[in-house]
Amino acid sequence: MSRLDSFIRRLTAQRDILNAIAGEVEALDGPILELGLGNGRTFDHLRELFPDRRIVAFDRAANAYGPSMPEAGNLVLGEIKDTAADFVGIGAALAHADIGTGYEDKDAITLTWLPRIMAGVLASGGIAVSGLPIDHPQLDALPLPPSVKPGRYFIYRRK
Ligand SMILES: C[S@@+](CC[C@H](N)C(=O)[O-])C[C@H]1O[C@@H](n2cnc3c(N)ncnc32)[C@H](O)[C@@H]1O
């Protein structure tokens, strides 16, 4: 599969999952955390899905397209491993992480801390959506929408 096809499938999976879980997230209290703001496309989609919800975005640097830049209080810059640790216990309804690199060695390092962060920021019943598989005893895997091939993107519910 070309990298273009792979990219399109990853983003389609991400959008289809976020659309599929939106109703469940609506029913939960708590903010939404976007780990890996990037260009801000997913942040913009989250804003459309959850217009009344606080959405806090994290990245190393502010590189989002201007209109998709979160306001200052909802943009946290630095290494997610460190910055998101301050949000453990916030009781998020949804945490989405799109921070995979495609490099196995780099992603393996991310996975030494990401599961603890994802489980830690969520409320009980909160939803984790991730491009990397998350293995944590407090997170139960949820079924994917039919359009998403298993292994392409991942959904979990916090116990
Ligand atoms: C694939 S992009 C996210 C794309 C985003 N979903 C969008 O709509 O544009 C991943 C982003 O996460 C950031 N990132 C990855 N790992 C990170 C880390 N450990 N700490 C901080 N930022 C990180 C990168 O700087 C990059 O901007």
Side-chain angles (χ1 to χ4, degrees):
M1 188 195 303
S2 75
R3 288 183 56 223
L4 178 62
D5 282 334
S6 170
F7 176 75
I8 290 168
R9 286 176 195 200
R10 181 172 63 83
L11 293 194
T12 302
Q14 184 185 116
R15 181 205 56 200
D16 289 358
I17 287 174
L18 293 173
N19 289 348
I21 51 109
E24 231 181 300
V25 172
E26 273 293 350
L28 296 165
D29 290 330
I32 291 168
L33 304 192
E34 166 70 337
L35 307 182
L37 172 67
N39 180 279
R41 293 185 181 97
T42 312
F43 173 75
D44 191 48
H45 195 70
L46 289 168
R47 271 194 317 203
E48 271 193 20
L49 286 176
F50 309 105
D52 302 321
R53 198 65 68 105
R54 182 183 181 203
I55 305 174
V56 186
F58 298 74
D59 209 301
R60 295 192 172 101
N63 286 322
Y65 171 65
S68 299
M69 189 69 78
E71 59 202 42
N74 288 333
L75 176 60
V76 182
L77 298 180
E79 283 300 308
I80 291 169
K81 174 176 184 284
D82 305 320
T83 55
D86 293 339
F87 287 72
V88 167
I90 196 169
L94 168 67
H96 170 241
D98 179 15
I99 58 173
T101 63
Y103 293 102
E104 267 185 38
D105 53 343
K106 290 185 182 169
D107 291 346
I109 293 171
T110 299
L111 288 173
T112 62
W113 53 264
L114 185 61
R116 176 170 33 87
I117 293 287
M118 293 289 262
V121 298
L122 287 170
S124 177
I127 307 286
V129 175
S130 174
L132 293 174
I134 305 287
D135 184 11
H136 191 280
Q138 292 296 316
L139 295 174
D140 292 329
L142 293 178
L144 295 162
S147 61
V148 179
K149 194 173 160 201
R152 188 168 289 153
Y153 228 80
F154 304 89
I155 323 177
Y156 306 88
R157 182 183 286 112
R158 171 77 154 81
K159 284 184 176 144

